[in-house]
Amino acid sequence: MSPFDASCAVLATGLLALWMGLTDAMLKYLKPSMRPWLVLAGALLVAVGIRGIVRARQRERVAAGAEAHDHDDDAHAHSPDEHAHRQGFGWLLVLPVLVVLVLGQQSLGAFAAAHSSTRNLPPYSFDIAAYAASQGESEPGLQLVDVYLGAQQRGNRDYLAHHVVKLLGFVTTNPALGPRGFVLTRFLVSCCAADATPVKITMIDAEHVPKANHWVEVTAQYDPTYVVPAPDVPKPVMRVHSIKAVGEPSEPYEGLR
């Protein structure tokens, strides 16, 4: 791969990183707090790429004005075919850029959730009742991880058992739940999609069950007495009060408060 081509690849990667860092596209891969670092990295790559292109063009002009071109040919031990072969492999560096541009940005969904399990989560001290009071809402909007961990704590568990809350996630199915049950899922990230772990909450008594991977907004109440019908049905379990289809949010992942 020639210095000019390598610099073009660096520039393309930098422009992609910069575009993602300045738009919501980055939220498919990174948590919001990583935005300044992605923008900085993209800007540095753009600067390095432009500098490399300028220097490569300067060297080409110097070489074009030189008189001993034959000596340059002798100094390179590679045949034209071999050089082309190396160039072809070098441009594989641009494949990630092309994949993102052609296929678009896809967040983790039902397929990834079905092939991964929730890992041990760190200690959690979020007070759901205090948060709900501060919001002044009869049906406060919570993260799935708030409910998942809150159901394991006495104070939060009592609140969830006596109040309806609003949740947002995508649908995953489980045949053991029958025609009125599904699993509401959302991924929790610490840094980026590479460390994501699915947070799953079982929903029962739904008027209808949307298709897998569809995003829904659900109002539901924790049912501590429900006995799950199969070992692979996740806990906690909530009874649905209402459900509506929504589009995927610009920030698809959750993070600990």
Side-chain angles (χ1 to χ4, degrees), residues 200-224:
K200 304 176 182 180
I201 297 177
T202 294
M203 296 287 165
I204 59 174
D205 290 348
E207 293 180 356
H208 66 283
V209 177
K211 294 181 179 180
N213 223 39
H214 284 211
W215 283 79
V216 293
E217 183 181 85
V218 178
T219 58
Q221 187 171 343
Y222 172 50
D223 185 347

Side-chain angles (χ1 to χ4, degrees), residues 4 12 17 27 38 50 54 56 99 136 142 170 215 231 233 237 251 256:
F4 177 81
L27 298 176
L38 182 61
I50 292 176
V54 171
V99 169
L142 299 178
F170 59 86
W215 283 79
V233 173
V237 177
E251 188 176 336
L256 290 177

Side-chain angles (χ1 to χ4, degrees), residues 10 13-15 17-18 35-48:
V10 171
T13 303
L15 289 173
L18 198 58
R35 186 184 300 276
W37 301 108
L38 182 61
V39 171
L40 177 60
L44 290 175
L45 287 173
V46 168
V48 170

